[in-house]
Amino acid sequence: MQTDHRDLTADIAPPEHLTRLLNGEFDDPFSLLGPHERNGERIVTVFLPGADSVSATLEGVEDPYPLSPAKEYEGIFFGPVPGDAPYRLHATAAGGASWEFDDPYRFGPVLGEIDDYLMGEGTHKRLWEVLGAHVITHEGVEGTHFAVWAPNAKRVSVAGGFNLWDGRRHVMRRRANTGVWEIFIPGIGEGEPYKYEILGADGKLGPLKADPVGFGSQHPPENASVVRDIRGYGWPDGDWMKTRAGRNARTAPISVYEVHLGSWRRKEGGRPISYVEAAEELVEYAADMGFTHIELMPISEYPFDGSWGYQPVGLFAPTVRHGPPHEFRDLVAAAHKKGLGVILDWVPGHFPTDPHGLGHFDGTALYEHADPREGFHQDWNTLIYNYGRTEVKNYLVSNAIYWLEEYHVDGLRVDAVASMLYRDYSRAEGEWVPNKDGGRENYEAIAMLQEMNAATYGAQPGVMTVAEESTSYPKVSAPVDQGGLGFGYKWNMGWMNDTLDYMSREPIYRQHHHHQMTFGLTYAFSENFILPISHDEVVHGKGSMFGKMPGNEDEKLANLRAYYGFMWGHPGKKLLFMGQEFGQRSEWNHDAQIDWAALDDPRHAGLQRLVRDLNTLYRGTPALHALDADPQGFQWIEADDAANSVYAWLRRGGPDDPNAVVICNFTPVERPAYKLGLPATGRWREALNTDAEIYGGQGRGNMGAVEARSEPLHGQAASTEIYLPPLSTVVLVHEG
């Protein structure tokens, strides 16, 4: 029996529904399209603009079942398809082109009631497993399941080249009570670009949106999400994962090489290095240099190269600038094979206003605050997450776990924590909203960070989280159950600012600022600190580390060698930004590779060798790392010799570990017989001297060792006379 147009409008769809469908305003397409039983028959309704004819076919049935056009509603076809077996559709266009496909509206939902409950509650810690675009087999058919949270939208559709970017064609199913929309689209797979077209709460179409939980993206400046199948990677790093907790512990040597992948090394035509190339070249280099970890500046997809990744749009997508997701996994696996941990910079503090991003996602302030006093960063022209909304908090916490689980990264360095902790961050009076108690602390952001830390350490034991926090907020690296934020480590920004200010001064004036090098020890054990010489110190007119040092070229390098010796001997884990290990002369430029040509100068190659040897000494000497975060591991020997700009201190490890002593001379004056107290008599090996010829120095030193006599000095049981070269650091290790 051929159903006519009058039957369709009378029995299946009111005319106003059909009109709204054609106009892209209908929000319940599964109630109209696909198979529905009417008067004992299965009637299939299809919306296919541009088709001239449509028919349905059944497996094993030779003749197709033609569908009739709804004459007043162009693109709508309907008709009976007997039985309940799956059907396929065959369409032809006026020009003669034809195609065959499975009807997305014949498939049931993929998400279940448990997913709805957890998403509604804001406790779905594996959110990426239900939202985003997943290549799956559903009801026996291969395709992609799309799901997105847009609770205030009137209609959400998947748009892409497969449907001519026509948002009327693949309108999604609204799930009750969660604000999530979903659809399974057969035949869509790996590499397919897509966006979401959203009819906002005001009834207006917003800009096409990238997927907030998308696993891939087009190469900028194109900005569509891309379907990526992230299943089934065979991780080969089981041994690493078993030992990771020890490598990230407070008692472990941790020396981090911070890298911006886009400018570490450039390839032919100036292109950035790929993940595959970095898996060989970067990993080999960092391992050879003795670093324990590589920290990558943000690789979550971002639209603007000049943001260096700190304004991300695709939090779940490794940037395609260097390759697809599985190749990023190859990089992590290669690092683990070489004994290197991988830390990612993670940015939960803000996101850009790009039209395809999270801003005003469903026509309302969904991820951000509506009030710009809470939801807009004036410094960066970015939007601030609404941490008090359970779904937004869940989104961020789940994203942190995602990188640790799906990509086996070993830690997250959380960017700009201070901007999250305080509601008045960089705001004038009247430009911020106090908390419920009238104060400046952002309780909601604090709660999100605590939940993130508890969840990540709980989900992946042995990982580390690191806070870039520039204020004196208490207990940043204390456990959550002790009232802390729960981070494993905190960047010591105060130490960095004080010591770099001291080192930038001409040596003759340093005696008047002696305390800048000692002040950090008054709070060195209040947190688990990392000493950071990061990218922030070598951009925006700050110059390079080489450029910060006073004097002629030889003196600059001597100062820098002495400073690195001071840093590696100082309590706290270490972080050094790429290029600074060999004294790059120019300020960092993200548009070009670091200045590898500097290594043609033996003096810069010598500095590079020093950093390698500092890492080797640091890793092999428990006294220099085992008690980095414990005051029992440190004692001043000489902290007050401002006149000579000399500092000396003792480092201790375990009871059976030999002690180490670090001595710095920050003047260009040699001190051939400097009297120094030592804790024990006997031979003290000169384990490192930054003035050694192999480092570009002049080779002045102590003939390999000094002998300590039973003559108390500086509060120590023994003493010696030591040669201190100009602008140098010397490390002694007790040999008995």
Side-chain angles (χ1 to χ4, degrees), residues 153-200:
K154 289 190 172 181
R155 186 262 294 169
V156 182
S157 304
V158 183
F162 52 88
N163 62 15
L164 304 178
W165 297 94
D166 183 349
R168 300 173 302 161
R169 295 174 185 251
H170 288 98
V171 179
M172 306 173 79
R173 173 191 282 114
R174 186 202 300 265
R175 297 197 60 85
N177 304 321
T178 64
V180 171
W181 301 71
E182 70 163 337
I183 191 172
F184 173 74
I185 304 180
I188 299 298
E190 170 78 20
E192 189 72 51
Y194 69 98
K195 284 186 178 181
Y196 293 115
E197 183 179 278
I198 299 175
L199 190 67

Side-chain angles (χ1 to χ4, degrees), residues 113-147:
E113 292 182 1
I114 296 297
D115 295 317
D116 289 341
Y117 176 78
L118 294 175
M119 286 189 290
E121 192 180 54
T123 58
H124 205 309
K125 295 302 187 289
R126 302 178 69 84
L127 196 64
W128 72 91
E129 292 186 346
V130 291
L131 299 185
H134 292 265
V135 179
I136 63 171
T137 299
H138 184 45
E139 297 178 11
V141 176
E142 294 182 356
T144 296
H145 174 248
F146 298 88

